[in-house]
Amino acid sequence: MKKIISALLLATAVASLHAQTAPGGRPGSFSVAEGKLSGQLIDLQGKPIAQASVNLLRVIPEQSTGKEREILFKSTSSLENGKFSFTALSPKDKWKLKISSVGYTPKDIVVEYGSDSKVLDKNLGTITLENDNRKLDEVTVTGRKALLEMDIDKKVYNVEKNIVAAGGTAIDVMRNMPSVQVDIDGNVKLRNAAPTIFVDGKPTTLTPDQIPTDVIEKIEIITNPSAKYDASGSMAGILNIILKKNKKTGYNGMLTLGADRFGGTNFMGSLNLRQNKFNISLTGMNMRMRTNTEGDSYRESTIDGVKSTVNQDIEGKTKGMISFGRLGVDYDLSPRTTVSVAGVLVQGKFRPNENTMIKTESQGNSNRISESERSFKPRGLQAGLVQKFKTEGEELTVDFNYFGGTNKSNGTYTTNYLEDNNGIIGSQIQKNVGSGDNKFMTVQADYVKPFKNGMKLETGVRAQINKLKNLNSNTLKARDEDEYKDISAASANYDNKNTVYAAYASIGGDLKDWVSYKVGLRVENSTYDGELINTKQKFHNKYPLSLFPSLFLSKKLTEKDQLQMSVTRRVNRPNFFQLIPFVDYTDSLNITRGNPDLVPEFTTSGELSYSRTQGKGTFLASVYYKKTTNLITRYLTQELNPITDKMDFINTYINANSSRNYGAEFTYTNNLKTWWDLTADLNFYNSKIEIDDKTATEGMWTVFGKLNNTFNLKKNWNLQLAFEYQGKTNMPVTQNQTFGPPMNQAQSSSQGYIKPFYGIDFAIKKSFLKNQAASVTLAVNDIFRTRGNTIISSGDGFYQEYYRLSNPQLVKLNLSYRFGKMDMNMFKKNKNQNSMEGIQMQ
């Protein structure tokens, strides 16, 4: 099955690559900066025109007919001073500017450098737009954005094109993104390792399942981050979630309402207001989630020479609610200075319940019922300053980012011991009560300085302070006993502080023969301090100053072909959950404990990429290699159980000697027809962990692929069909999640693998009303109930199989309505201004 699916995916991508043979293809975003084009927009009174739409199109002659075809290359908006600019242009090509702004007559300008021209910087000077007094309620703005765009150091996934994820969260979006894998618990992986999650380019305590789809504009996939980014993250890269922002003068907004077949609902409303120097955005959202889970597990184990088996049948239901609110204000102090402030409020509550039938050789049959509740209230504050200078591209940014909040949890876990006829002959009840708070703060300053010779300097400093406090208590009423007793060994009250201070500098530019470079160095120093409050036991680690170099080189082979190479070094430091010797006894069959002897892991990554543009298609092939020393991984071992004082299997963490991960990834995007967009991604990789000098996992080759088709049909109908396949693979080498939901069957990445699985999603969307302001979307996820995970793990004295399937064949219905009005007079009393009433924004 794996070979057949892999062949089909590869054949589709190759066939699509040759489907478009028109010469002079659209330049990929891997272009080396060659030519520059700039200008300034003014009105008849000589005043600058801000926020005008400036589209740059490449004019290509058709080989068969000789006619010219225009392909969108880049888009931008004019600044407050009316200026705009484009870079990375080929002087050999013919270009066209299409300029439009509300209240002005559109203007087209043809630009040619000339075949023998050596002038790479072309300034068009001032461009005057004439007033247009037409009624603007007849104007419709249309345009299509690709699902996936590729840049020199990242891929950009445009969320608005993913109708399958409508009404969901960032997790639903990531299921359909190339390079990204999402497991049954919503854990995100990038090339089989857990990435770092950013929001608007900054670290966050929000998780992807706490961010609604409808507030996301795009997600950047950064597989090999440069020295500019935080070095933490080890083997994985960065997923940067970019939230929607208002760029239109006037007001516009959206209302969204949806439901699914399991009883989940979602509501979202947003309002954006922009006029003169102010920009205000407000977003509110509420989601009620219902999750149904089914699964089973089988374990064989031998302790002190006694062999036993455990069979479990698991049924779970989770009811959850998340509310999300964001208010942002931008203010232009001057044409070159902007300050921004934004606040984020999140509140959520989840009630997972599981019913597990357990059959064991030694203890007979039992029924375990877990009823728990966890709630959280994150709060965030973001403030920023952007200072532009007279030199084009010179910029200073200062950012302050704070996320913090509180959380509470409680759970009751009842184990009923059964006779052969399933009658209850005794019960054991465990209760867990917890609370905590966290504070995550970063302060960062970045400065960019371009030079006349094309060289550009980027430098910055950053401070990160993270505080975490948790109070947790466990009590147990044993079988045949009437009173609850404290389990002090499984009750943790701890407090910790983690700091990272960093500085970086990088310099880039162009050399001869179409070669570009970017070389950087990041320096980081970090410490953490922690205390177990009950025992007054303290932990302190100060990691020495560490250097993290990065190197990016690119070579433009032809107008259509680009070659790029990058080498970076990164770190992953153990978090406090992994370090403290706290025993998580929530599930007596899956006990977890930290390891205070862990040390950071360091990863060296190399990547070589080739891109080619052909017509409307872009093909990207990458080979990569990652080597990690002192890998932090889960490890199942036999130890003395501090709760029962007997030998037992305990999930802990160790530093393995090393791990390596290498492979090849192929990504292809194409607008095959005016009505058909295709994105295909294939990733062949091999992963291996060397636990010590004598023990290592099997290095296995596997394949991971996604195929996404979007069909833009007549009468405003859209269809999307998404396919995902994951071959047999080793467990992810890094997991952010440390203590998961009840019965989550913690697994060791150094002792297990996942069986192959696949999934198919489908969605249909209909837009209607004036300017297609309203739309209704029907989506079905995991149509054939095939996205279940089967995990096989084994080690000294144990063998385990574990299967789980969550929310199969989920049907979602979503209704959206967009509204807006572009009115330049909204806050003005000047009667001589042009009327802008009645325009509907898409």
Side-chain angles (χ1 to χ4, degrees):
M1 181 67 179
K2 177 177 70 175
K3 295 181 179 179
I4 294 175
I5 294 175
S6 301
L8 287 174
L9 285 170
L10 187 59
T12 301
V14 173
S16 302
L17 180 62
H18 294 285
Q20 298 289 329
T21 58
R26 172 174 56 108
S29 47
F30 281 83
S31 300
V32 177
E34 298 156 350
K36 180 179 178 181
L37 178 63
S38 60
Q40 183 183 26
L41 304 180
I42 60 173
D43 60 18
L44 292 175
Q45 286 73 41
K47 297 180 180 180
I49 301 174
Q51 297 299 317
S53 174
V54 186
N55 296 315
L56 180 63
L57 299 93
R58 187 177 182 181
V59 183
I60 300 173
E62 293 281 5
Q63 188 176 23
S64 56
T65 64
K67 296 181 179 180
E68 291 185 336
R69 180 161 59 96
E70 298 174 355
I71 298 177
L72 180 64
F73 180 73
K74 287 184 179 179
S75 297
T76 188
S77 299
S78 58
L79 302 176
E80 291 296 326
N81 57 10
K83 291 184 178 181
F84 66 89
S85 64
F86 295 97
T87 59
L89 310 185
S90 170
K92 298 180 180 179
D93 294 326
K94 182 178 179 181
W95 303 92
K96 177 183 280 190
L97 281 174
K98 296 183 77 68
I99 304 171
S100 61
S101 181
V102 176
Y104 299 94
T105 302
K107 176 170 287 191
D108 294 353
I109 302 175
V110 176
V111 180
E112 292 185 83
Y113 287 83
S115 57
D116 299 326
S117 176
K118 296 183 180 180
V119 180
L120 300 182
D121 189 346
K122 196 173 188 67
N123 191 328
L124 301 178
T126 57
I127 302 170
T128 303
L129 300 185
E130 297 181 355
N131 293 337
D132 184 357
N133 295 319
R134 294 179 304 164
K135 291 184 178 181
L136 295 177
D137 56 355
E138 301 175 357
V139 178
T140 301
V141 182
T142 60
R144 288 177 57 187
K145 186 182 291 185
L147 182 68
L148 183 72
E149 299 173 351
M150 290 183 276
D151 206 343
I152 190 169
D153 58 353
K154 60 180 176 286
K155 302 187 189 83
V156 181
Y157 190 83
N158 292 306
V159 174
E160 65 176 332
K161 300 290 290 184
N162 185 2
I163 61 177
V164 167
T169 67
I171 289 293
D172 301 293
V173 177
M174 293 175 182
R175 290 190 192 278
N176 289 294
M177 289 172 55
S179 306
V180 180
Q181 302 148 280
V182 180
D183 69 14
I184 198 72
D185 290 312
N187 295 311
V188 180
K189 298 173 287 182
L190 183 59
R191 291 179 176 173
N192 210 39
T196 301
I197 304 297
F198 280 6
V199 173
D200 288 334
K202 305 173 184 66
T204 179
T205 59
L206 293 175
T207 57
D209 61 352
Q210 296 173 356
I211 304 175
T213 298
D214 294 323
V215 303
I216 303 173
E217 178 182 357
K218 58 188 177 182
I219 299 179
E220 297 176 342
I221 308 169
I222 308 171
T223 56
N224 206 14
S226 67
K228 179 179 179 179
Y229 296 96
D230 188 357
S232 298
S234 190
M235 290 190 68
I238 293 172
L239 293 179
N240 184 23
I241 300 173
I242 307 295
L243 302 181
K244 291 179 179 178
K245 300 175 181 65
N246 181 36
K247 298 179 181 179
K248 304 170 184 176
T249 302
Y251 74 86
N252 60 87
M254 174 182 287
L255 296 174
T256 301
L257 181 66
D260 63 54
R261 78 179 185 96
F262 293 133
T265 61
N266 65 278
F267 171 79
M268 192 277 291
S270 66
L271 178 64
N272 299 300
L273 186 65
R274 184 180 183 91
Q275 184 65 28
N276 293 334
K277 297 182 178 183
F278 277 99
N279 177 50
I280 301 173
S281 61
L282 176 65
T283 301
M285 166 277 230
N286 178 269
M287 294 183 67
R288 295 172 64 248
M289 288 165 283
R290 301 293 183 264
T291 302
N292 295 336
T293 303
E294 58 187 74
D296 57 73
S297 71
Y298 169 78
R299 177 192 285 182
E300 294 179 358
S301 60
T302 302
I303 300 177
D304 293 334
V306 179
K307 183 178 180 179
S308 63
T309 61
V310 178
N311 284 282
Q312 299 186 66
D313 290 318
I314 307 167
E315 291 184 0
K317 293 182 181 293
T318 299
K319 294 182 178 181
M321 180 278 295
I322 293 178
S323 296
F324 177 95
R326 183 181 188 273
L327 174 63
V329 178
D330 303 317
Y331 179 72
D332 298 326
L333 294 174
S334 72
R336 295 196 183 99
T337 308
T338 301
V339 293
S340 303
V341 178
V344 175
L345 302 178
V346 182
Q347 182 170 335
K349 181 179 292 186
F350 288 89
R351 296 188 180 94
N353 297 291
E354 286 193 348
N355 191 319
T356 306
M357 295 299 299
I358 306 171
K359 297 180 180 180
T360 63
E361 285 185 353
S362 58
Q363 300 179 8
N365 300 339
S366 60
N367 175 219
R368 176 184 168 88
I369 301 172
S370 65
E371 300 173 304
S372 59
E373 178 180 294
R374 54 190 177 93
S375 60
F376 49 89
K377 294 181 179 180
R379 302 289 187 263
L381 176 65
Q382 297 169 308
L385 168 70
V386 178
Q387 176 65 58
K388 298 180 182 296
F389 299 91
K390 292 183 178 180
T391 303
E392 184 73 22
E394 184 178 4
E395 183 177 273
L396 171 68
T397 60
V398 181
D399 292 293
F400 171 82
N401 189 49
Y402 170 84
F403 269 96
T406 59
N407 61 83
K408 295 180 180 180
S409 64
N410 63 80
T412 301
Y413 310 97
T414 303
T415 303
N416 297 317
Y417 299 96
L418 308 176
E419 293 181 322
D420 293 338
N421 60 1
N422 289 335
I424 299 176
I425 58 176
S427 298
Q428 174 183 286
I429 303 176
Q430 179 183 347
K431 291 186 177 182
N432 177 281
V433 178
S435 63
D437 61 77
N438 62 79
K439 299 178 178 65
F440 190 101
M441 183 178 69
T442 59
V443 180
Q444 182 168 338
D446 299 279
Y447 175 70
V448 179
K449 172 67 175 178
F451 299 95
K452 292 183 178 180
N453 59 2
M455 187 180 298
K456 183 169 69 173
L457 171 69
E458 296 180 80
T459 185
V461 293
R462 182 172 182 269
Q464 171 187 313
I465 302 174
N466 188 17
K467 294 183 178 181
L468 179 69
K469 184 176 183 179
N470 187 78
L471 302 176
N472 184 281
S473 65
N474 269 281
T475 57
L476 179 68
K477 186 173 75 171
R479 183 178 177 178
D480 300 327
E481 293 189 8
D482 297 326
E483 296 182 356
Y484 286 92
K485 295 182 179 180
D486 290 333
I487 312 175
S488 57
S491 300
N493 299 318
Y494 53 83
D495 197 347
N496 95 297
K497 178 181 179 182
N498 191 10
T499 61
V500 179
Y501 299 101
Y504 77 91
S506 66
I507 193 165
D510 301 328
L511 302 175
K512 295 181 179 180
D513 300 323
W514 288 357
V515 175
S516 294
Y517 69 93
K518 186 176 183 179
V519 59
L521 178 66
R522 188 178 187 89
V523 181
E524 288 194 356
N525 174 266
S526 63
T527 62
Y528 81 80
D529 293 278
E531 179 183 6
L532 291 176
I533 299 175
N534 289 353
T535 63
K536 303 300 181 182
Q537 185 180 5
K538 295 186 177 182
F539 303 87
H540 174 77
N541 264 331
K542 183 175 183 179
Y543 299 118
L545 203 66
S546 300
L547 304 179
F548 302 98
S550 66
L551 173 66
F552 289 78
L553 295 174
S554 63
K555 164 73 173 177
K556 188 169 184 180
L557 305 176
T558 68
E559 287 290 332
K560 302 177 182 179
D561 303 274
Q562 178 87 11
L563 195 65
Q564 184 193 1
M565 183 269 290
S566 62
V567 179
T568 65
R569 184 173 188 254
R570 295 175 63 75
V571 65
N572 184 39
R573 304 174 184 91
N575 60 48
F576 195 61
F577 293 106
Q578 297 169 329
L579 289 165
I580 62 173
F582 158 61
V583 178
D584 181 7
Y585 196 68
T586 304
D587 181 358
S588 60
L589 296 177
N590 293 279
I591 306 168
T592 302
R593 178 185 56 78
N595 178 4
D597 296 324
L598 292 176
V599 298
E601 62 182 35
F602 290 88
T603 299
T604 301
S605 303
E607 187 166 343
L608 180 65
S609 301
Y610 163 77
S611 69
R612 177 178 175 81
T613 58
Q614 184 75 32
K616 297 181 181 180
T618 301
F619 174 73
L620 174 66
S622 302
V623 291
Y624 57 90
Y625 179 86
K626 300 176 184 289
K627 176 66 179 292
T628 300
T629 57
N630 293 324
L631 175 79
I632 301 172
T633 178
R634 284 188 182 271
Y635 194 75
L636 190 61
T637 182
Q638 291 190 35
E639 295 183 9
L640 185 67
N641 187 331
I643 310 299
T644 63
D645 290 326
K646 297 180 180 179
M647 292 299 294
D648 210 336
F649 283 100
I650 295 180
N651 275 287
T652 185
Y653 301 88
I654 64 169
N655 282 115
N657 276 3
S658 64
S659 75
R660 56 152 176 77
N661 188 302
Y662 58 89
E665 184 174 12
F666 306 92
T667 304
Y668 178 65
T669 65
N670 202 339
N671 174 213
L672 296 176
K673 302 290 183 181
T674 56
W675 48 270
W676 181 11
D677 294 326
L678 177 142
T679 299
D681 184 77
L682 273 177
N683 187 5
F684 299 92
Y685 61 92
N686 186 293
S687 57
K688 182 178 181 179
I689 299 176
E690 182 181 296
I691 300 171
D692 52 40
D693 295 335
K694 298 180 181 179
T695 309
T697 63
E698 175 189 359
M700 66 175 70
W701 278 100
T702 190
V703 62
F704 171 72
K706 290 185 177 181
L707 188 62
N708 201 314
N709 293 276
T710 302
F711 304 96
N712 306 287
L713 307 180
K714 295 180 179 180
K715 297 183 179 180
N716 300 310
W717 285 92
N718 300 90
L719 302 179
Q720 185 176 353
L721 183 64
F723 173 82
E724 172 191 30
Y725 175 78
Q726 171 66 70
K728 177 183 176 182
T729 178
N730 282 328
M731 293 287 290
V733 295
T734 308
Q735 284 285 12
N736 289 334
Q737 183 175 340
T738 53
F739 301 111
M743 306 297 290
N744 74 324
Q745 304 283 332
Q747 300 291 326
S748 166
S749 58
S750 59
Q751 296 169 294
Y753 65 89
I754 304 173
K755 283 188 174 182
F757 67 91
Y758 71 95
I760 297 177
D761 303 325
F762 172 78
I764 182 170
K765 176 181 177 181
K766 168 64 176 176
S767 301
F768 55 97
L769 296 186
K770 187 176 181 179
N771 296 325
Q772 290 76 57
S775 65
V776 59
T777 304
L778 180 68
V780 185
N781 298 96
D782 195 11
I783 295 175
F784 300 110
R785 299 174 57 92
T786 53
R787 213 174 247 128
N789 277 189
T790 300
I791 301 172
I792 308 294
S793 56
S794 61
D796 185 19
F798 78 95
Y799 170 85
Q800 179 168 290
E801 296 184 8
Y802 178 49
Y803 168 80
R804 265 204 312 165
L805 177 64
S806 181
N807 274 3
Q809 298 174 326
L810 178 63
V811 180
K812 298 184 294 183
L813 183 66
N814 218 58
L815 177 65
S816 295
Y817 175 71
R818 290 178 291 181
F819 60 90
K821 184 176 182 181
M822 299 288 284
D823 189 351
M824 300 295 288
N825 295 316
M826 191 174 306
F827 303 112
K828 295 182 178 180
K829 297 182 180 180
N830 187 348
K831 297 181 180 181
N832 294 325
Q833 296 291 327
N834 293 324
S835 176
M836 301 295 167
E837 297 180 356
I839 185 169
Q840 295 293 324
M841 300 306 300
Q842 289 194 352

